[in-house]
Amino acid sequence: MSRIALIAGEGRLAPAIAAALDQPLVYALDNLKPQVEAKPFRLERLVPFLDELTDQGVTQAVFAGAIRRPKIEPELFDARTLTIVPRILMGMQSGDDAALRAVLDVFEEAGISICSVDQILPDLVPGEGVLAGEPSPRDQKDAARAAEIVRGLGALDIGQGAVVAQGLCLAVEALPGTQAMLEFARLHAGLKPDPKGAGGVLYKAPKPGQDRRIDLPTIGPDTVTQAAEAGLAGIAWEAGSVILLERTEAMRRAQAAGLFLWARG
C-alpha cells in the first residue's frame, strides 16, 4: 500500500498538514522541535533514512514547516550518504533554495515524489483578492515597490519578504525570518518621512524560479499581530503562492487591528 511521509518543520503548518492526511508517517530533522509528534532523522544518514521510507511503502513525501540547517557531524556519515555529500554541501553553500533542491533530488532518485502543501490543502494558498480591510492607493504603491524588492532578494536566494512604507524600504527578510524583520521595522518606524502618512506594507512572495513544492512563504495570525505592532497598514502577498495559516483567525485579527490582508495578483 502506498503511504505518504510528512517531513515536519517547526511552526503551525506541519500539524495542519498532519491532520489532513490519513495516518502519515511523520519525521523531522533531529535539530528541530515540530509541533507534531515526529520520529527524528539525521541528514548524515539520509540514504538509510530513504531506505526506511521505501521499506514502509512510502512513495510520496510532503515538507511542511520551517527548517533550520542542522549542524553537520562528519563522523556520523554512512558510506552511501557520504557519496552525495558534495551535492548537498554545494547546495548549502549556494543558499537555502539550492540546498532544498539538492535534498528533493535525492528523495526523487529514491523513488519518492514530492507533494506540495497546496496539493494536500488547496485552501491554505489563497487566490487573488482582498480578505480583510482595503489597501489605499498609497498602500498599493508600497506593495508594488515591496514586490520589486522581494524579486531582487529572491534572485540572490536571501529572503521572501520586505516592508515598505511611503516608498521606502524599512526592512528585508533574511535568515532570522519574518518576525525579526517586523521587529526591525517597528524599531525603525520613525524613519518614515511622514509619521502621520501611510503605515507601510509587509509583502511576501516566493523566490523567482523557486520550487513551489517546498518552502513557500507562510503568514498567519501571529504575522498579523506582529505587523500591527510594527504600525503597518497591512499585509500583501503574491496570490496563489503564499500559505495563509488559520485564515479565519488571521482575518479576525486583521479586522480588529484595522489592517488589510491582500492576495495581490
Side-chain angles (χ1 to χ4, degrees), residues 236-261:
W237 63 90
E238 183 180 309
S241 301
V242 173
I243 296 166
L244 176 59
L245 292 172
E246 300 179 49
R247 182 185 303 207
T248 300
E249 175 62 13
M251 292 170 60
R252 185 196 69 77
R253 292 194 194 184
Q255 290 164 349
L259 270 66
F260 65 82
L261 298 178

PDB file of all heavy atoms in Angstrom, residues 236-261:
ATOM      1  N   ALA A 236       0.409  42.211   2.224  1.00  0.00           N
ATOM      2  CA  ALA A 236       0.104  41.798   0.854  1.00  0.00           C
ATOM      3  C   ALA A 236       1.031  40.657   0.475  1.00  0.00           C
ATOM      4  O   ALA A 236       2.119  40.518   1.033  1.00  0.00           O
ATOM      5  CB  ALA A 236       0.269  42.972  -0.113  1.00  0.00           C
ATOM      6  N   TRP A 237       0.592  39.828  -0.463  1.00  0.00           N
ATOM      7  CA  TRP A 237       1.419  38.715  -0.906  1.00  0.00           C
ATOM      8  C   TRP A 237       1.033  38.309  -2.314  1.00  0.00           C
ATOM      9  O   TRP A 237      -0.011  38.726  -2.827  1.00  0.00           O
ATOM     10  CB  TRP A 237       1.305  37.531   0.046  1.00  0.00           C
ATOM     11  CG  TRP A 237      -0.066  36.925   0.155  1.00  0.00           C
ATOM     12  CD1 TRP A 237      -0.596  35.911  -0.601  1.00  0.00           C
ATOM     13  CD2 TRP A 237      -1.104  37.292   1.089  1.00  0.00           C
ATOM     14  NE1 TRP A 237      -1.883  35.624  -0.194  1.00  0.00           N
ATOM     15  CE2 TRP A 237      -2.211  36.449   0.831  1.00  0.00           C
ATOM     16  CE3 TRP A 237      -1.185  38.244   2.110  1.00  0.00           C
ATOM     17  CZ2 TRP A 237      -3.401  36.543   1.574  1.00  0.00           C
ATOM     18  CZ3 TRP A 237      -2.372  38.337   2.830  1.00  0.00           C
ATOM     19  CH2 TRP A 237      -3.457  37.498   2.555  1.00  0.00           C
ATOM     20  N   GLU A 238       1.897  37.534  -2.929  1.00  0.00           N
ATOM     21  CA  GLU A 238       1.648  37.060  -4.289  1.00  0.00           C
ATOM     22  C   GLU A 238       0.532  36.016  -4.263  1.00  0.00           C
ATOM     23  O   GLU A 238       0.665  34.963  -3.638  1.00  0.00           O
ATOM     24  CB  GLU A 238       2.920  36.458  -4.883  1.00  0.00           C
ATOM     25  CG  GLU A 238       2.764  36.008  -6.326  1.00  0.00           C
ATOM     26  CD  GLU A 238       4.041  35.427  -6.882  1.00  0.00           C
ATOM     27  OE1 GLU A 238       5.094  36.097  -6.760  1.00  0.00           O
ATOM     28  OE2 GLU A 238       3.992  34.308  -7.426  1.00  0.00           O
ATOM     29  N   ALA A 239      -0.572  36.313  -4.928  1.00  0.00           N
ATOM     30  CA  ALA A 239      -1.728  35.426  -4.923  1.00  0.00           C
ATOM     31  C   ALA A 239      -1.358  34.049  -5.461  1.00  0.00           C
ATOM     32  O   ALA A 239      -0.588  33.911  -6.413  1.00  0.00           O
ATOM     33  CB  ALA A 239      -2.849  36.028  -5.768  1.00  0.00           C
ATOM     34  N   GLY A 240      -1.897  33.015  -4.803  1.00  0.00           N
ATOM     35  CA  GLY A 240      -1.660  31.651  -5.238  1.00  0.00           C
ATOM     36  C   GLY A 240      -0.278  31.119  -4.944  1.00  0.00           C
ATOM     37  O   GLY A 240       0.075  30.041  -5.434  1.00  0.00           O
ATOM     38  N   SER A 241       0.499  31.843  -4.123  1.00  0.00           N
ATOM     39  CA  SER A 241       1.896  31.462  -3.919  1.00  0.00           C
ATOM     40  C   SER A 241       2.346  31.553  -2.469  1.00  0.00           C
ATOM     41  O   SER A 241       3.532  31.347  -2.186  1.00  0.00           O
ATOM     42  CB  SER A 241       2.807  32.356  -4.776  1.00  0.00           C
ATOM     43  OG  SER A 241       2.495  32.245  -6.139  1.00  0.00           O
ATOM     44  N   VAL A 242       1.446  31.884  -1.546  1.00  0.00           N
ATOM     45  CA  VAL A 242       1.799  32.060  -0.137  1.00  0.00           C
ATOM     46  C   VAL A 242       0.791  31.309   0.727  1.00  0.00           C
ATOM     47  O   VAL A 242      -0.425  31.366   0.473  1.00  0.00           O
ATOM     48  CB  VAL A 242       1.834  33.557   0.246  1.00  0.00           C
ATOM     49  CG1 VAL A 242       2.027  33.746   1.750  1.00  0.00           C
ATOM     50  CG2 VAL A 242       2.947  34.270  -0.514  1.00  0.00           C
ATOM     51  N   ILE A 243       1.286  30.603   1.726  1.00  0.00           N
ATOM     52  CA  ILE A 243       0.431  29.851   2.637  1.00  0.00           C
ATOM     53  C   ILE A 243      -0.133  30.788   3.699  1.00  0.00           C
ATOM     54  O   ILE A 243       0.613  31.539   4.336  1.00  0.00           O
ATOM     55  CB  ILE A 243       1.228  28.717   3.305  1.00  0.00           C
ATOM     56  CG1 ILE A 243       1.695  27.702   2.253  1.00  0.00           C
ATOM     57  CG2 ILE A 243       0.411  28.030   4.394  1.00  0.00           C
ATOM     58  CD1 ILE A 243       2.759  26.745   2.766  1.00  0.00           C
ATOM     59  N   LEU A 244      -1.448  30.754   3.891  1.00  0.00           N
ATOM     60  CA  LEU A 244      -2.105  31.521   4.949  1.00  0.00           C
ATOM     61  C   LEU A 244      -2.664  30.531   5.959  1.00  0.00           C
ATOM     62  O   LEU A 244      -3.640  29.827   5.693  1.00  0.00           O
ATOM     63  CB  LEU A 244      -3.225  32.393   4.384  1.00  0.00           C
ATOM     64  CG  LEU A 244      -4.054  33.171   5.410  1.00  0.00           C
ATOM     65  CD1 LEU A 244      -3.178  34.107   6.231  1.00  0.00           C
ATOM     66  CD2 LEU A 244      -5.173  33.954   4.727  1.00  0.00           C
ATOM     67  N   LEU A 245      -2.049  30.481   7.132  1.00  0.00           N
ATOM     68  CA  LEU A 245      -2.491  29.582   8.192  1.00  0.00           C
ATOM     69  C   LEU A 245      -3.634  30.207   8.992  1.00  0.00           C
ATOM     70  O   LEU A 245      -3.663  31.420   9.192  1.00  0.00           O
ATOM     71  CB  LEU A 245      -1.325  29.272   9.128  1.00  0.00           C
ATOM     72  CG  LEU A 245      -0.178  28.440   8.544  1.00  0.00           C
ATOM     73  CD1 LEU A 245       0.977  28.393   9.539  1.00  0.00           C
ATOM     74  CD2 LEU A 245      -0.648  27.041   8.218  1.00  0.00           C
ATOM     75  N   GLU A 246      -4.556  29.364   9.431  1.00  0.00           N
ATOM     76  CA  GLU A 246      -5.656  29.795  10.292  1.00  0.00           C
ATOM     77  C   GLU A 246      -6.314  31.046   9.726  1.00  0.00           C
ATOM     78  O   GLU A 246      -6.368  32.095  10.365  1.00  0.00           O
ATOM     79  CB  GLU A 246      -5.158  30.027  11.716  1.00  0.00           C
ATOM     80  CG  GLU A 246      -4.544  28.788  12.354  1.00  0.00           C
ATOM     81  CD  GLU A 246      -4.041  29.040  13.759  1.00  0.00           C
ATOM     82  OE1 GLU A 246      -4.800  29.616  14.574  1.00  0.00           O
ATOM     83  OE2 GLU A 246      -2.882  28.673  14.050  1.00  0.00           O
ATOM     84  N   ARG A 247      -6.834  30.923   8.519  1.00  0.00           N
ATOM     85  CA  ARG A 247      -7.348  32.077   7.782  1.00  0.00           C
ATOM     86  C   ARG A 247      -8.388  32.865   8.577  1.00  0.00           C
ATOM     87  O   ARG A 247      -8.326  34.099   8.637  1.00  0.00           O
ATOM     88  CB  ARG A 247      -7.961  31.616   6.455  1.00  0.00           C
ATOM     89  CG  ARG A 247      -8.485  32.764   5.613  1.00  0.00           C
ATOM     90  CD  ARG A 247      -9.200  32.313   4.359  1.00  0.00           C
ATOM     91  NE  ARG A 247      -8.374  31.482   3.506  1.00  0.00           N
ATOM     92  CZ  ARG A 247      -8.547  31.390   2.195  1.00  0.00           C
ATOM     93  NH1 ARG A 247      -9.502  32.058   1.603  1.00  0.00           N
ATOM     94  NH2 ARG A 247      -7.758  30.607   1.469  1.00  0.00           N
ATOM     95  N   THR A 248      -9.341  32.173   9.194  1.00  0.00           N
ATOM     96  CA  THR A 248     -10.404  32.869   9.923  1.00  0.00           C
ATOM     97  C   THR A 248      -9.837  33.718  11.049  1.00  0.00           C
ATOM     98  O   THR A 248     -10.227  34.881  11.241  1.00  0.00           O
ATOM     99  CB  THR A 248     -11.422  31.863  10.474  1.00  0.00           C
ATOM    100  OG1 THR A 248     -12.002  31.130   9.385  1.00  0.00           O
ATOM    101  CG2 THR A 248     -12.530  32.571  11.235  1.00  0.00           C
ATOM    102  N   GLU A 249      -8.902  33.159  11.813  1.00  0.00           N
ATOM    103  CA  GLU A 249      -8.309  33.901  12.929  1.00  0.00           C
ATOM    104  C   GLU A 249      -7.432  35.042  12.418  1.00  0.00           C
ATOM    105  O   GLU A 249      -7.415  36.139  13.005  1.00  0.00           O
ATOM    106  CB  GLU A 249      -7.496  32.958  13.809  1.00  0.00           C
ATOM    107  CG  GLU A 249      -6.730  33.626  14.951  1.00  0.00           C
ATOM    108  CD  GLU A 249      -7.614  34.330  15.973  1.00  0.00           C
ATOM    109  OE1 GLU A 249      -8.852  34.113  15.959  1.00  0.00           O
ATOM    110  OE2 GLU A 249      -7.066  35.089  16.788  1.00  0.00           O
ATOM    111  N   ALA A 250      -6.696  34.800  11.330  1.00  0.00           N
ATOM    112  CA  ALA A 250      -5.869  35.870  10.760  1.00  0.00           C
ATOM    113  C   ALA A 250      -6.743  37.028  10.303  1.00  0.00           C
ATOM    114  O   ALA A 250      -6.411  38.209  10.539  1.00  0.00           O
ATOM    115  CB  ALA A 250      -5.048  35.329   9.585  1.00  0.00           C
ATOM    116  N   MET A 251      -7.866  36.739   9.656  1.00  0.00           N
ATOM    117  CA  MET A 251      -8.787  37.790   9.211  1.00  0.00           C
ATOM    118  C   MET A 251      -9.392  38.521  10.399  1.00  0.00           C
ATOM    119  O   MET A 251      -9.533  39.746  10.383  1.00  0.00           O
ATOM    120  CB  MET A 251      -9.867  37.180   8.325  1.00  0.00           C
ATOM    121  CG  MET A 251      -9.352  36.659   6.990  1.00  0.00           C
ATOM    122  SD  MET A 251     -10.580  35.681   6.072  1.00  0.00           S
ATOM    123  CE  MET A 251     -11.886  36.906   5.854  1.00  0.00           C
ATOM    124  N   ARG A 252      -9.736  37.769  11.451  1.00  0.00           N
ATOM    125  CA  ARG A 252     -10.322  38.401  12.639  1.00  0.00           C
ATOM    126  C   ARG A 252      -9.333  39.378  13.263  1.00  0.00           C
ATOM    127  O   ARG A 252      -9.693  40.513  13.601  1.00  0.00           O
ATOM    128  CB  ARG A 252     -10.719  37.327  13.661  1.00  0.00           C
ATOM    129  CG  ARG A 252     -11.464  37.893  14.882  1.00  0.00           C
ATOM    130  CD  ARG A 252     -11.511  36.910  16.023  1.00  0.00           C
ATOM    131  NE  ARG A 252     -10.196  36.684  16.618  1.00  0.00           N
ATOM    132  CZ  ARG A 252      -9.604  37.535  17.455  1.00  0.00           C
ATOM    133  NH1 ARG A 252     -10.206  38.669  17.790  1.00  0.00           N
ATOM    134  NH2 ARG A 252      -8.417  37.253  17.964  1.00  0.00           N
ATOM    135  N   ARG A 253      -8.092  38.962  13.391  1.00  0.00           N
ATOM    136  CA  ARG A 253      -7.080  39.841  13.994  1.00  0.00           C
ATOM    137  C   ARG A 253      -6.831  41.056  13.097  1.00  0.00           C
ATOM    138  O   ARG A 253      -6.633  42.175  13.602  1.00  0.00           O
ATOM    139  CB  ARG A 253      -5.780  39.079  14.220  1.00  0.00           C
ATOM    140  CG  ARG A 253      -5.861  38.010  15.286  1.00  0.00           C
ATOM    141  CD  ARG A 253      -4.478  37.538  15.698  1.00  0.00           C
ATOM    142  NE  ARG A 253      -4.527  36.317  16.470  1.00  0.00           N
ATOM    143  CZ  ARG A 253      -3.474  35.729  17.022  1.00  0.00           C
ATOM    144  NH1 ARG A 253      -2.268  36.275  16.886  1.00  0.00           N
ATOM    145  NH2 ARG A 253      -3.581  34.606  17.706  1.00  0.00           N
ATOM    146  N   ALA A 254      -6.824  40.849  11.792  1.00  0.00           N
ATOM    147  CA  ALA A 254      -6.602  41.971  10.877  1.00  0.00           C
ATOM    148  C   ALA A 254      -7.728  42.987  10.993  1.00  0.00           C
ATOM    149  O   ALA A 254      -7.489  44.202  11.055  1.00  0.00           O
ATOM    150  CB  ALA A 254      -6.487  41.454   9.447  1.00  0.00           C
ATOM    151  N   GLN A 255      -8.943  42.511  11.013  1.00  0.00           N
ATOM    152  CA  GLN A 255     -10.091  43.419  11.122  1.00  0.00           C
ATOM    153  C   GLN A 255     -10.072  44.155  12.451  1.00  0.00           C
ATOM    154  O   GLN A 255     -10.345  45.359  12.521  1.00  0.00           O
ATOM    155  CB  GLN A 255     -11.379  42.625  10.943  1.00  0.00           C
ATOM    156  CG  GLN A 255     -11.573  42.134   9.514  1.00  0.00           C
ATOM    157  CD  GLN A 255     -12.627  41.037   9.386  1.00  0.00           C
ATOM    158  OE1 GLN A 255     -13.095  40.476  10.374  1.00  0.00           O
ATOM    159  NE2 GLN A 255     -12.998  40.723   8.148  1.00  0.00           N
ATOM    160  N   ALA A 256      -9.713  43.443  13.531  1.00  0.00           N
ATOM    161  CA  ALA A 256      -9.661  44.077  14.853  1.00  0.00           C
ATOM    162  C   ALA A 256      -8.574  45.147  14.918  1.00  0.00           C
ATOM    163  O   ALA A 256      -8.735  46.166  15.602  1.00  0.00           O
ATOM    164  CB  ALA A 256      -9.423  43.017  15.927  1.00  0.00           C
ATOM    165  N   ALA A 257      -7.473  44.934  14.197  1.00  0.00           N
ATOM    166  CA  ALA A 257      -6.355  45.874  14.224  1.00  0.00           C
ATOM    167  C   ALA A 257      -6.446  46.927  13.127  1.00  0.00           C
ATOM    168  O   ALA A 257      -5.610  47.844  13.090  1.00  0.00           O
ATOM    169  CB  ALA A 257      -5.041  45.105  14.091  1.00  0.00           C
ATOM    170  N   GLY A 258      -7.437  46.804  12.249  1.00  0.00           N
ATOM    171  CA  GLY A 258      -7.569  47.768  11.153  1.00  0.00           C
ATOM    172  C   GLY A 258      -6.562  47.558  10.037  1.00  0.00           C
ATOM    173  O   GLY A 258      -6.225  48.494   9.324  1.00  0.00           O
ATOM    174  N   LEU A 259      -6.078  46.327   9.874  1.00  0.00           N
ATOM    175  CA  LEU A 259      -5.116  46.005   8.824  1.00  0.00           C
ATOM    176  C   LEU A 259      -5.838  45.365   7.621  1.00  0.00           C
ATOM    177  O   LEU A 259      -6.881  44.713   7.789  1.00  0.00           O
ATOM    178  CB  LEU A 259      -4.057  45.018   9.321  1.00  0.00           C
ATOM    179  CG  LEU A 259      -2.775  45.600   9.944  1.00  0.00           C
ATOM    180  CD1 LEU A 259      -3.095  46.327  11.245  1.00  0.00           C
ATOM    181  CD2 LEU A 259      -1.762  44.489  10.180  1.00  0.00           C
ATOM    182  N   PHE A 260      -5.249  45.523   6.456  1.00  0.00           N
ATOM    183  CA  PHE A 260      -5.774  44.793   5.296  1.00  0.00           C
ATOM    184  C   PHE A 260      -4.939  43.538   5.062  1.00  0.00           C
ATOM    185  O   PHE A 260      -3.771  43.460   5.433  1.00  0.00           O
ATOM    186  CB  PHE A 260      -5.786  45.671   4.030  1.00  0.00           C
ATOM    187  CG  PHE A 260      -4.428  46.081   3.527  1.00  0.00           C
ATOM    188  CD1 PHE A 260      -3.661  45.230   2.747  1.00  0.00           C
ATOM    189  CD2 PHE A 260      -3.920  47.346   3.818  1.00  0.00           C
ATOM    190  CE1 PHE A 260      -2.404  45.599   2.286  1.00  0.00           C
ATOM    191  CE2 PHE A 260      -2.669  47.730   3.354  1.00  0.00           C
ATOM    192  CZ  PHE A 260      -1.904  46.871   2.587  1.00  0.00           C
ATOM    193  N   LEU A 261      -5.583  42.541   4.465  1.00  0.00           N
ATOM    194  CA  LEU A 261      -4.930  41.322   4.002  1.00  0.00           C
ATOM    195  C   LEU A 261      -5.257  41.197   2.523  1.00  0.00           C
ATOM    196  O   LEU A 261      -6.430  41.121   2.153  1.00  0.00           O
ATOM    197  CB  LEU A 261      -5.423  40.080   4.757  1.00  0.00           C
ATOM    198  CG  LEU A 261      -5.163  40.039   6.267  1.00  0.00           C
ATOM    199  CD1 LEU A 261      -5.771  38.762   6.857  1.00  0.00           C
ATOM    200  CD2 LEU A 261      -3.666  40.089   6.555  1.00  0.00           C
TER     201      LEU A 261
END
